[in-house]
Amino acid sequence: MSEKASTIMHIDLDAFFVSVEQVLNPELRGKPVVVGGRPGGRGVVASASYEARVFGLHAGMPLVTACRLCPQAIFIEGSFSRYRDASQRFMAILADFTPFLEPVSLDEAYLDATGFESIYGFIHEMAVAIKQRVKNELVLCASVGIASCKVVAKVASELSKPDGLIEVARGEECSFLAPLPLGKLPGVGKKTEWILRGLGITTVGELSITPLDALKMHFGAFGEVLHRTANGIDTRKVEPPSAAKSVSRETTFDKDTKDRSLLKATLRYFSERVGADLRERGKRARCVTLKLRYADFTTITRSHTLPQTTDSDQAIFDAGAKLLSRALALEKRPVRLIGIGASNLVESGTQLDMLDSSARRLEQLNKAIDRIRQKYGFTAIQTGRTSLLKDIFPETGDGYTLHTPSLSR
Ligand code: TTP
Ligand code: MG
């Protein structure tokens, strides 16, 4: 343990997307509700109410399976803008408590509460106050974990759900984690769990006392991470973000497809949305990543590092299209899901002087397009390629409604 003992809080909203829908439509409260798409659609569950979880439903489960397990559930497509608004209000409440705040996703954040005892008496009281404000102002439930490090705080909040609060006393980290099944430990996915089970390890406690060398033999450097995590050791700091780390869009198709024009049109549309996001946030990206999922759910990502940072739709699309061509040449199976992301972000403006004249022209063009779209809706301007999507995705003034609208758009 470090000489300066930290107190970390992990906060995560319960059934976030669903809960936001329930606030807007009280008829949904107390019922099995799923946000993710139409019943039996081809997307996956993004969020399931706790009433739906009783039937085995969980995030990531194909909607078809969810529908089979719980046909009486209410399936909602969802609306990302509503979740973004709720998330901003949630983070604003947390920011009232401390600037030492690291949002991890829309509904999840770490707080460094070290030293806050002097204000609240007990950190537990601070957590109660946060939960209360979230409930009063957003009508949402937040679950909280308090511990000496990030990973233990996260496991604690997860375990406390719904509407929970667990504080792990300093020195109790190992005994808190020990009885838990491996799957509860962040970073332990299905494959890792499977290998560990093969070694006769089924609980975090058993993992914690497995010799480091044995873990390194099976997992390489990741073995060390496993060993540390299982022992409740995590030296990561709470890092208030300077900015978002990436921007991305993805969707599942109605039918698996090999149609290159459709794949390219979708990629073009997403590149435009990602580009618009970057420009709105005043960011430029250095890395473009293509994501493809095939019918059997195997998923690949392929990345390309650009010679110059960019916020241009065209540059993002060009990089994505190249990655796509390469991937399609290697893999002939039909595609279930496609996505594109831009990462390694830097503040715009830092490199503008270095742009050549054609890049400058593109920049001005993009700005003009953004202005028109802000005024008349995203699909007011369409490139030839994306108009192909008209026949495939329903369109609203603000763009195409994708099959995983809660995640994308
Ligand atoms: P989570 O916090 O993982 O899930 P949750 O808030 O729905 O449920 P709980 O925390 O009570 O277990 O994710 C937050 C939101 O992120 C979730 O409401 C929907 C979205 N999400 C997806 O869209 N896809 C996913 O695979 C996951 C895990 C979450
Ligand atoms: Mg949550």
Side-chain angles (χ1 to χ4, degrees):
M1 202 180 299
S2 65
E3 67 283 7
K4 185 172 162 283
S6 302
T7 307
I8 310 290
M9 207 184 277
H10 180 263
I11 308 184
D12 187 297
L13 298 173
D14 297 341
F16 177 47
F17 287 7
V18 165
S19 303
V20 171
E21 299 295 339
Q22 287 170 326
V23 174
L24 296 167
N25 179 4
E27 278 186 18
L28 297 174
R29 291 184 196 165
K31 294 183 182 160
V33 178
V34 166
V35 171
R38 293 158 297 176
R42 291 171 45 85
V44 295
V45 174
S47 179
S49 68
Y50 280 77
E51 291 78 6
R53 292 186 204 192
V54 175
F55 296 88
L57 273 55
H58 58 79
M61 173 183 276
L63 287 169
V64 191
T65 315
C67 200
R68 200 182 59 232
L69 291 176
C70 186
Q72 69 274 39
I74 301 163
F75 290 82
I76 300 173
E77 296 242 356
S79 154
F80 189 74
S81 57
R82 291 206 277 269
Y83 313 139
R84 193 182 45 208
D85 291 348
S87 172
Q88 281 169 356
R89 294 174 63 200
F90 170 56
M91 294 301 170
I93 292 177
L94 300 184
D96 278 348
F97 284 83
T98 172
F100 308 116
L101 172 67
E102 179 184 337
V104 182
S105 68
L106 285 178
D107 80 328
E108 177 186 0
Y110 288 103
L111 263 64
D112 189 340
T114 311
F116 276 64
E117 292 87 347
S118 55
I119 305 174
Y120 290 94
F122 294 97
I123 297 301
H124 185 273
E125 298 308 317
M126 179 178 171
V128 170
I130 292 175
K131 279 167 67 82
Q132 199 57 53
R133 268 199 68 186
V134 171
K135 201 163 277 178
N136 291 346
E137 293 172 33
L138 306 180
V139 202
L140 297 175
C141 275
S143 291
V144 182
I146 304 169
S148 62
C149 67
K150 276 183 161 179
V151 73
V152 178
K154 184 173 168 76
V155 173
S157 77
E158 189 68 36
L159 211 65
S160 79
K161 280 175 175 290
D163 199 9
L165 169 51
I166 290 181
E167 182 168 4
V168 180
R170 208 171 299 285
E172 299 289 319
E173 294 83 359
C174 276
S175 51
F176 165 70
L177 295 176
L180 301 177
L182 291 170
K184 294 278 179 205
L185 206 59
V188 175
K190 289 264 176 293
K191 194 171 164 202
T192 305
E193 191 175 345
W194 185 80
I195 298 172
L196 289 170
R197 276 183 183 279
L199 299 170
I201 302 166
T202 58
T203 65
V204 178
E206 286 159 6
L207 177 60
S208 73
I209 54 170
T210 305
L212 177 58
D213 284 346
L215 292 176
K216 274 168 111 173
M217 203 169 73
H218 287 276
F219 298 99
F222 180 56
E224 279 189 42
V225 179
L226 278 175
H227 192 260
R228 271 202 307 271
T229 313
N231 282 285
I233 298 167
D234 181 359
T235 53
R236 290 173 303 157
K237 299 252 173 299
V238 172
E239 290 185 32
S242 49
K245 295 188 175 76
S246 69
V247 178
S248 66
R249 291 291 189 284
E250 66 179 49
T251 194
T252 309
F253 291 109
D254 240 353
K255 266 199 290 216
D256 298 340
T257 184
K258 287 183 177 183
D259 181 344
R260 276 174 189 247
S261 337
L262 169 60
L263 291 167
K264 275 191 142 177
T266 312
L267 207 57
R268 173 74 211 188
Y269 175 63
F270 286 165
S271 303
E272 292 178 9
R273 302 241 46 149
V274 167
D277 260 13
L278 288 173
R279 294 190 293 276
E280 195 184 323
R281 297 182 196 191
K283 301 279 182 223
R284 301 168 67 83
R286 181 170 292 286
C287 184
V288 172
T289 301
L290 171 80
K291 176 172 170 184
L292 292 175
R293 177 171 296 149
Y294 299 102
D296 64 354
F297 274 83
T298 51
T299 307
I300 62 157
T301 56
R302 297 287 179 265
S303 294
H304 175 71
T305 302
L306 301 162
Q308 249 188 354
T309 62
T310 191
D311 60 4
S312 137
D313 305 348
Q314 187 63 41
I316 296 166
F317 173 68
D318 287 346
K322 265 194 209 124
L323 292 168
L324 178 67
S325 299
R326 234 176 282 156
L328 293 181
L330 289 172
E331 178 56 72
K332 307 286 184 215
R333 281 180 294 169
V335 172
R336 177 185 174 89
L337 169 149
I338 189 166
I340 189 162
S343 58
N344 287 19
L345 307 187
V346 297
E347 297 290 329
S348 283
T350 50
Q351 294 211 345
L352 282 187
D353 294 345
M354 288 161 63
L355 296 183
D356 57 27
S357 62
S358 67
R360 241 179 237 283
R361 266 204 304 283
L362 207 56
E363 176 112 3
Q364 279 157 0
L365 176 67
N366 280 327
K367 281 205 176 113
I369 291 176
D370 289 344
R371 278 196 296 275
I372 294 170
R373 283 179 166 163
Q374 270 157 19
K375 208 157 165 190
Y376 301 107
F378 200 89
T379 33
I381 292 187
Q382 299 212 34
T383 54
R385 206 185 283 280
T386 60
S387 51
L388 188 141
L389 300 178
K390 269 200 178 109
D391 303 332
I392 296 164
F393 298 119
E395 187 200 334
T396 66
D398 195 32
Y400 291 107
T401 302
L402 307 173
H403 294 303
T404 45
S406 44
L407 299 175
S408 315
R409 187 179 298 226

